[in-house]
Structures are given as C-alpha cells and as structure tokens.
Amino acid sequence: MINELALIVFTPLLAGVLAWLLDIRGLREAIGVIGAAVPLAYAAMLYERAAEGLSFAINLGVFNITFALSQLNWFFVGIAALVGFSAILGLASTAKDSYEWLFALMSLTGVLGVFLASDLMTFFIFWEVMTFASFMMVLHYNKQASLKYFLLSVAGAYAMLIAIAFIYVKVGSFDFGAVQAALTQDAYAKMLGGQATFSSGELMALFGLFLVAFGVKAGLFPLHVWAPDAYSETNQSYTAMFSGVLSKAGVYGFILMYLLIGTRLAVEFGAFRSAPKFGYIIAFLGGLTIIVGGLLAALQEDIRKLFAYSSISQVGYILVGIGVGTALSMQAAMFHALSHALFKGLFFLIVATILHRTGKTTFADMGGLAEKMPFTFAMAFVAILSLAGIPPLVGFASKWVLFEAVISQNLPILGGMVFFGSAIGFVYLIRFTYAVWFGQRPTDLDDTKDAPLPLAVAMAILAFFNVVLGIAPGLVARELNKIFGSDVIGGDLFILDLGFGKYNALAILTYLIAGIAVAAVIYFLGAKVRKVPVTDTYQSGNPVTMDYNLTIRRNFFLPLKETLSGWLRISFDRTYRDIGAWVEDFGEVMRNYVYNGNVQSYAWYLLLILLILAMWGV
C-alpha cells in the first residue's frame, strides 16, 4: 500500500510530468487539477490522524528521505493544499502550455515536501525543488526577474546548506528530533555553567545563516528585492501559490528555527524587554518589512506590483508575531499566515482574471469594471475587506490577535510599526477599489467579460474560506491550541477570548447586517440622489499640467512619492547589483592572475602551500 504522505508529496509532480508528456489540451488540464486535488483530499482525510503522528521514509542508500505528519505541519500542509489547488485550478484558464503545468505542479510538490520533512536534508532537498520549479515559472515570462530571484535564492540556499552542515558536524544527525534534543541539552549545559557544544560565535553564525536562508524566501527586508518582479512577472494564477504558499516556506523555516535552536539562542543571548533578543531582531526586521512593503505598494502604477509589495508587507506581520516569541504571538503569526494565504491567493487570482480578460495591468488603463465583471468584483470586495482587516473577514481576526499579542508584551516600537502598516494598507486598497472597479470606463473595455469558470470556482473557494473563517475564527483558534497543547486563545466558535480582550465575530456580523438593512430602507424610501461629476480634484493647489496631472488612475500618490524621495534613493536592488558587479570584477582578476591555465603558476601555488604546511608542522 502506498503511504498517504508519499501521495501528498509526489502526486502533483507525477501529474505535472504526465501533463507535460501528453500535452493534449483539456487532458493536461484535467490531469493537473486532479494532481493538485489529491494532496487536498488526503490532507482532509488525515486531519484526525495528525494527532497520532504519521511517518514515511525512502531509503536512497546514502541517506533517507523522511516525512512525518504532526499537527503543526498539518496546518501548513492544509494551507498549501487548499491554496495550491485553487491556483492550479486557475491555471486551467491562464496557462500557456504544458511547461507551466509541469513546473507549477513541481513547485507544489516542493513546498509540500518542505512542510512534511522530518530531517534537515529532506527539508533542504525539497526546498531546492520548490525554488527550482518557481524559478522556471518566472523564467518562462521574464529572464531578468528570474535571474534576480535565482541569485538571491542561491545565496539563501548556500546559507542554509552551510548551517545544516555545521549542525551535522556538531550533532551528528539531520533528524529534527535529535537536533532539537541536542541543542536543548546544550542550552541546559550553558545555563548550569557546563561546557556547551556550540560557542557564542558559532551560534551567532548559525542564526545569521538561517536568517538569510528563510528571510530570502519570506521576503524579509532587505532581502525582499526579488519578490516584486518575480510575483508580477509570471502567470498570475501561479502567483496565487507563489505569494500565498511558497512565502510560507520561509515562515515555516523561522518556526522550525525556534523549535530546533530557539532555546539555545534564548539562553545564549538573553532577552530585550519581553522578547528574546534574537526574536526581537526578526520582529524588528518584520516591522520594517511591513512599512517598506506598504509604502512601496502605495506608489505602484501596476496592480501586479502593488499586490507584490503588499504581499511583502503582510508577511512582515507574520514575522513580527514569530519574533515576539510568546505562545499568543506565535499563534497570531500562524493565524495571519493562513489569512494571508487566503486573501492574497484570492487577490492574485483576481489579478489573473483581469489580465486574462483585459490584457491590462496598470491603473491608467482601467475603470468601471464592476459593471462588466460583477462576480470578480464581488470576490475583490471580499479580498479587500479581508486584507484591510475589516470585520467579520478572516483578515481582521488574525490581525486583531496579532495586535493584542504585541501590545500585551509592551513593545511600543513594534506596535507602532504594525499599526502604521495597517493604515497604509487602507491607502493602496482605496485606490485599487476605485480606479479599477468604478469611475469612467475606457471604451476598449466595453466588451469585457467576467471570469471564466475555472478562475471563478478558484476565487469562490478562497472567498468562501475568507468569510467562513472570519465569522467562525474559533475554528482556527481550536487548531492552533491543539498545536500548542493548551488553550492560548479561549472562546468558542464565534468568540476569541484572550483573557484581556474579546472579539465576537457573530455580534459584529449581526450589527453589520442590521446597519445595511437600515441603509437599504432609507435608500428605497426615497433618499435624494444627486449626481456628482467625477473631476480631477487631487492637485492640492498645484497647477494642473500634464506632468502633474493627478487622478485616481495616474500618479495619485505623487505627493507621497515626492515626500519620500530622499528615502526612495536608497535602493537595495542597486546595492545588490553593485555587489554583483564587484564579484564579477574580482572573478575576472582571479581568472587573469590566479586561475590562468598556466601549469607553471599552479606548480608555484602548490609549492607555496606545501611550505606553509611545513612551517605549521603539518
């Protein structure tokens, strides 16, 4: 009998290969969707058995590929399977060829393998499968964007590989359980004044390496520069999985780091206020990620770039929760990881629909689409409310828990960052709402049709969970409490009770429906209607010229851009390019003067090395 965990991991890859080989339109779509449905079905079936713990191993001779299912990784597998299935369903409308089916499904296998891995080597192998497949998806659309993604991913991969090798040398095992036990024992030895296996310097290096490895994938500032181009320059249905799921591999990596070496790091470096010092570094960088991502999202003229930067900003919230390091903040982070996957996956499917039907992505080319695409607009309305943190959507529930977790720990700087990010989220969403869906519609969009069936179903699935988990947030809290083994978040199906604050989603929904009913009665009883002309009224006293013609669809946040011009000159993108050019120049010098193909030179190098070894007495 084939193991269920193996089916979850390898079915998408098998389906992708079959779709690629057969390459018959209709058949490849059916195979691909079935390949993504199998992990979702098995994740649902294994829900009850996650508490028992399942495992599976493949012997490769040199080492084993090992998988294990626990309640923690079931939570992430569930996110990946649900959003992955929706994204693959969207591909049925937007995929160009079998190449996209192969690599989209391969990346789903990669991320499922990452979440189910039970040792460091398996984790690394599937991390690379996921990265390679997503790189190939970006390469299919934009070589420059894929190169940037590739280079930063390679840096992250090498950082992880060095860290894993370092742990193996010290601990002698890749197994998560063995590594956790060894590092915990090391922490006790340090506390009791005994001899620790890892020195302070070694531990700091280990933390730095994991910070880079997981930070690149999560889009942590300043390692985020690959994400805007990669998210926008590929199939937008696939981006629903790229942003919604693959970024969670970085989030999961940070949680794994806490589990494996967190105790030792906390003992070694102590605490800052109520958070461990190493955690505060993650949280502070997460706060900067919220602000930088949010501000840059507001300045974009292309909706793909807007949501790419928005995605970076939202992952910052998750990292703040992980960094604070309490049980409540960790649960808040995981809750928001789920919310982010649901509303950002939905957003990118909406963008995929707009692009598929109109071929346009910039604000300047859009307007009045709500009338032509009412279903897609309804889905956008759900996504907007959820991302903006409007009750009773799931985005509000997770943000509320996160805010409370940060505030309760008396961390004012992090609290300010989180609140500022929430405010800037409203700014860019207001523009998306009005500029795309309302106002005057360009004449070339008069024949625009609504979403095709696969995209419509995919959007409806994610919208459904945005609404249901928002009205009944206790469903998520119950699962998070199981992972932590205690009732960190109290309440019932509709109420979240943190001990120092309550949120009643059902009451909010009731008040909302009552308010809408009252407004509807007033409207239909004859409220006076006055037609207001839409004019350009956003110049704020500046003379109206074509260079300074601000409308909701063109340069709307130009004053903000001018205000931030000093900060915007700081470009980490340019810094990485300069470093790359320096490395290239250095390589050229080495090629000319060291690795020059001259055998006589190599003989001198060898003689020099032997002399040095002899002087050391080796």
Side-chain angles (χ1 to χ4, degrees):
M1 181 181 175
I2 300 175
N3 185 274
E4 297 95 329
L5 302 186
L7 283 171
I8 289 176
V9 174
F10 293 110
T11 303
L13 179 61
L14 179 62
V17 172
L18 283 174
W20 176 65
L21 288 174
L22 295 173
D23 197 17
I24 300 170
R25 188 170 176 78
L27 184 58
R28 74 184 181 207
E29 279 77 5
I31 292 171
V33 172
I34 291 170
V38 169
L40 181 59
Y42 271 96
M45 285 193 290
L46 293 178
Y47 169 69
E48 293 292 344
R49 295 172 64 189
E52 304 167 9
L54 295 174
S55 61
F56 178 69
I58 303 171
N59 190 335
L60 297 181
V62 181
F63 58 88
N64 290 336
I65 297 284
T66 62
F67 302 117
L69 184 69
S70 65
Q71 287 181 315
L72 171 63
N73 58 15
W74 182 88
F75 184 81
F76 282 92
V77 166
I79 293 174
L82 177 63
V83 180
F85 173 74
S86 301
I88 295 297
L89 194 56
L91 275 183
S93 298
T94 60
K96 293 179 180 176
D97 47 38
S98 57
Y99 173 104
E100 294 191 44
W101 285 98
L102 171 61
F103 289 109
L105 287 159
M106 184 188 291
S107 66
L108 183 57
T109 281
V111 74
L112 288 167
V114 165
F115 291 149
L116 285 172
S118 68
D119 71 85
L120 287 168
M121 188 51 71
T122 304
F123 183 86
F124 179 75
I125 289 171
F126 281 90
W127 184 280
E128 288 303 285
V129 170
M130 171 185 70
T131 302
F132 170 74
S134 53
F135 159 74
M136 294 299 284
M137 286 297 290
V138 181
L139 178 65
H140 201 44
Y141 283 76
N142 188 305
K143 186 178 178 182
Q144 188 65 30
S146 69
L147 184 61
K148 191 191 295 185
Y149 176 46
F150 175 76
L151 290 174
L152 279 159
S153 295
V154 166
Y158 274 118
M160 189 192 302
L161 192 59
I162 293 169
I164 290 172
F166 193 40
I167 289 175
Y168 184 77
V169 167
K170 291 282 187 178
V171 177
S173 175
F174 292 123
D175 182 74
F176 286 163
V179 172
Q180 185 182 24
L183 268 293
T184 304
Q185 190 177 3
D186 207 35
Y188 284 126
K190 180 72 178 179
M191 279 192 293
L192 297 174
Q195 184 65 37
T197 308
F198 289 85
S199 68
S200 298
E202 290 168 342
L203 208 60
M204 192 178 294
L206 205 57
F207 171 62
L209 289 167
F210 278 135
L211 188 67
V212 171
F214 301 139
V216 167
K217 191 60 70 184
L220 177 72
F221 174 85
L223 303 168
H224 65 284
V225 295
W226 63 270
D229 289 341
Y231 286 176
S232 57
E233 297 295 337
T234 187
N235 188 310
Q236 293 301 293
S237 295
Y238 175 73
T239 308
M241 182 162 62
F242 208 163
S243 167
V245 180
L246 269 61
S247 66
K248 303 305 171 296
V251 171
Y252 182 71
F254 278 114
I255 294 173
L256 200 60
M257 185 178 75
Y258 260 83
L259 292 175
L260 299 184
I261 65 173
T263 308
R264 180 72 175 86
L265 285 169
V267 169
E268 182 67 41
F269 300 115
F272 175 77
R273 299 177 76 94
S274 56
K277 276 184 184 172
F278 79 94
Y280 195 86
I281 292 170
I282 297 171
F284 188 76
L285 290 173
L288 288 177
T289 307
I290 293 172
I291 295 172
V292 172
L295 286 173
L296 291 176
L299 300 178
Q300 302 307 308
E301 299 296 320
D302 187 306
I303 57 173
R304 296 171 303 172
K305 285 283 179 71
L306 183 155
F307 288 117
Y309 278 111
S310 165
S311 189
I312 293 167
S313 179
Q314 293 296 320
V315 172
Y317 287 96
I318 301 168
L319 297 179
V320 168
I322 292 173
V324 171
T326 64
L328 180 60
S329 74
M330 281 284 186
Q331 286 207 3
M334 292 170 65
F335 200 159
H336 199 63
L338 170 63
S339 297
H340 176 258
L342 292 175
F343 63 64
K344 195 56 72 174
L346 179 54
F347 263 121
F348 278 109
L349 289 176
I350 291 162
V351 173
T353 305
I354 294 172
L355 182 59
H356 180 68
R357 286 305 196 198
T358 69
K360 301 177 188 298
T361 59
T362 59
F363 287 117
D365 296 329
M366 295 190 198
L369 286 176
E371 185 182 0
K372 293 292 178 182
M373 307 174 75
F375 180 80
T376 308
F377 170 64
M379 298 298 101
F381 189 62
V382 171
I384 289 165
L385 293 182
S386 194
L387 189 153
I390 304 293
L393 278 298
V394 70
F396 175 83
S398 61
K399 279 187 181 177
W400 178 78
V401 178
L402 187 65
F403 290 161
E404 295 285 354
V406 174
I407 292 168
S408 66
Q409 293 304 304
N410 192 23
L411 297 167
I413 295 176
L414 294 180
M417 288 173 157
V418 168
F419 277 107
F420 180 82
S422 190
I424 199 72
F426 277 103
V427 170
Y428 59 73
L429 284 175
I430 287 171
R431 188 182 186 201
F432 172 73
T433 306
Y434 186 83
V436 174
W437 303 104
F438 300 113
Q440 187 173 352
R441 184 174 56 247
T443 54
D444 60 340
L445 298 181
D446 281 344
D447 297 326
T448 303
K449 295 179 181 176
D450 211 334
L453 185 61
L455 271 170
V457 174
M459 287 190 289
I461 291 170
L462 296 185
F464 173 79
F465 282 98
N466 269 283
V467 174
V468 169
L469 297 182
I471 295 172
L475 286 171
V476 183
R478 188 177 64 189
E479 296 310 311
L480 294 173
N481 286 337
K482 284 182 185 175
I483 294 169
F484 282 75
S486 65
D487 291 339
V488 178
I489 302 177
D492 57 26
L493 195 61
F494 304 108
I495 297 175
L496 299 180
D497 185 354
L498 306 183
F500 47 86
K502 282 186 180 179
Y503 164 59
N504 188 331
L506 189 61
I508 294 286
L509 178 66
T510 306
Y511 299 146
L512 189 65
I513 292 172
I516 292 172
V518 170
V521 169
I522 294 172
Y523 178 80
F524 286 111
L525 285 179
K528 291 184 178 178
V529 177
R530 181 170 63 89
K531 191 171 183 179
V532 179
V534 178
T535 54
D536 297 345
T537 57
Y538 305 100
Q539 285 76 21
S540 303
N542 289 290
V544 182
T545 66
M546 283 312 293
D547 292 335
Y548 213 90
N549 182 19
L550 311 183
T551 73
I552 195 77
R553 297 194 184 90
R554 187 174 182 275
N555 290 327
F556 187 59
F557 290 118
L558 185 59
L560 176 64
K561 194 173 186 178
E562 291 177 342
T563 304
L564 298 174
S565 58
W567 291 99
L568 292 174
R569 278 198 288 272
I570 302 172
S571 169
F572 283 93
D573 213 350
R574 192 163 54 242
T575 302
Y576 293 135
R577 281 202 301 272
D578 291 343
I579 292 172
W582 181 84
V583 171
E584 194 174 353
D585 292 344
F586 179 73
E588 187 66 18
V589 170
M590 293 294 286
R591 192 183 70 80
N592 289 332
Y593 297 103
V594 180
Y595 187 69
N596 53 14
N598 188 325
V599 177
Q600 194 174 20
S601 297
Y602 297 154
W604 279 107
Y605 300 153
L606 180 61
L607 180 61
L608 186 62
I609 291 169
L610 290 173
L611 282 173
I612 292 171
L613 292 175
M615 288 171 66
W616 280 355
V618 177

